[in-house]
Amino acid sequence: MSRATLDKDPHEVASMFDAVARRYDLTNTVMSLGQDRFWRRATRAALKIGPGDKVLDLAAGTAVSTVELAASGAWCVAADFSVGMLAAGAGRHVPKVAGDATRLPFGDDVFDAVTISFGLRNVADHGAALREMARVTRPGGRLVVCEFSTPTNTLFATVYKEYLMQALPRIARAVSSNPDAYVYLAESIRAWPDQAELARRIGDAGWGQVRWRNLSGGIVALHAATKPK
Ligand SMILES: C[S@@+](CC[C@H](N)C(=O)[O-])C[C@H]1O[C@@H](n2cnc3c(N)ncnc32)[C@H](O)[C@@H]1O
């Protein structure tokens, strides 16, 4: 059984995702009550990409997020350091690259847009990942971070925290190949910064015009930013 701890040792994180890879897409859809498709479509729309754009989907896992982006007509590459996750997405026909978010195997200023969905929270040094994403993006290029966040309604936030800590691990036991990984998921969502704090950290990493939009009442937030010219 493989379960990363909150210090997010990169080897533990990669092997935990290797272990859940086979049933990752199904588990995601069940546990998000089908909302994941809506969140992915909103991410694509926020990135404002289209034919002719070169797009990096970082921490792309099984490339489920990448194929949604590619539906825009942009050229999209999936990058992830879990070879098991990339292999589980072998049937998805987008280019795939194995690489660490904190040391990206790409040159400077090569992408028109970069994005990371449900990945930044798992990167041990997320400041380094945000700086790397800025390095590989051209001046004027765009960033969208799609990540779990803090529900805006306090009553709902309380119910949601109960769901995370009680129901989610139980549902995971029924559908996932590695339920312990979903205990890590619940803990990592609770420990993650809220919308305003994440916006501050994105700005600190060198991005400009940082703003966010809540989805599903703040269960998820889309943070968007632009690389200064
Ligand atoms: C929850 S999955 C998200 C997959 C996909 N983007 C999606 O929307 O479903 C998180 C991914 O982040 C990857 N990851 C975590 N830390 C990473 C790092 N330092 N470099 C590259 N990938 C990383 C994991 O391997 C995993 O595939």
Side-chain angles (χ1 to χ4, degrees):
M1 203 55 87
S2 170
R3 141 136 153 68
T5 47
L6 278 185
D7 58 14
K8 301 174 190 172
D9 170 79
H11 295 102
E12 279 180 13
V13 173
S15 63
M16 181 186 75
F17 279 103
D18 285 344
V20 298
R22 201 171 48 85
R23 302 190 76 176
Y24 174 82
D25 293 344
L26 170 71
T27 311
N28 245 3
T29 300
V30 172
M31 295 207 314
S32 69
L33 310 174
Q35 291 286 292
D36 57 332
R37 294 193 185 126
F38 157 65
W39 298 335
R40 295 186 196 296
R41 279 198 298 271
T43 302
R44 166 158 66 88
L47 260 186
K48 299 186 168 63
I49 50 177
D53 283 331
K54 287 197 284 297
V55 180
L56 170 63
D57 183 24
L58 187 55
T62 60
V64 59
S65 42
T66 323
V67 287
E68 177 61 45
L69 300 170
S72 67
W75 182 86
C76 303
V77 59
D80 200 287
F81 73 176
S82 162
V83 175
M85 287 287 274
L86 291 172
R92 296 198 167 105
H93 299 293
V94 289
K96 301 183 187 75
V97 173
D100 189 328
T102 60
R103 276 164 299 181
L104 288 174
F106 303 107
D108 296 351
D109 304 338
V110 291
F111 291 102
D112 299 292
V114 295
T115 185
I116 182 165
S117 294
F118 310 107
L120 194 60
R121 177 178 32 83
N122 298 296
V123 179
D125 186 349
H126 57 266
L130 288 166
R131 288 192 295 278
E132 272 294 87
M133 285 191 276
R135 178 183 67 75
V136 302
T137 304
R138 67 164 170 81
R142 282 114 40 219
L143 166 75
V144 171
V145 176
C146 173
E147 191 50 90
F148 291 112
S149 199
T150 303
T152 46
N153 177 296
T154 39
L155 176 63
F156 175 63
T158 312
V159 175
Y160 174 65
K161 273 186 199 152
E162 282 302 303
Y163 165 76
L164 277 183
M165 298 319 285
Q166 308 293 332
L168 185 140
R170 274 190 226 152
I171 298 169
R173 241 165 244 127
V175 286
S176 168
S177 48
N178 183 356
D180 279 0
Y182 290 86
V183 177
Y184 160 81
L185 171 71
E187 289 173 353
S188 69
I189 292 172
R190 277 172 63 125
W192 187 241
D194 68 10
Q195 289 84 336
E197 174 59 20
L198 180 59
R200 195 186 62 72
R201 294 186 195 182
I202 292 171
D204 286 351
W207 292 93
Q209 299 171 40
V210 186
R211 65 260 180 213
W212 73 84
R213 181 160 82 86
N214 290 316
L215 303 177
S216 307
I219 289 179
V220 166
L222 294 184
H223 283 73
T226 305
K227 179 167 168 177
K229 287 193 176 160

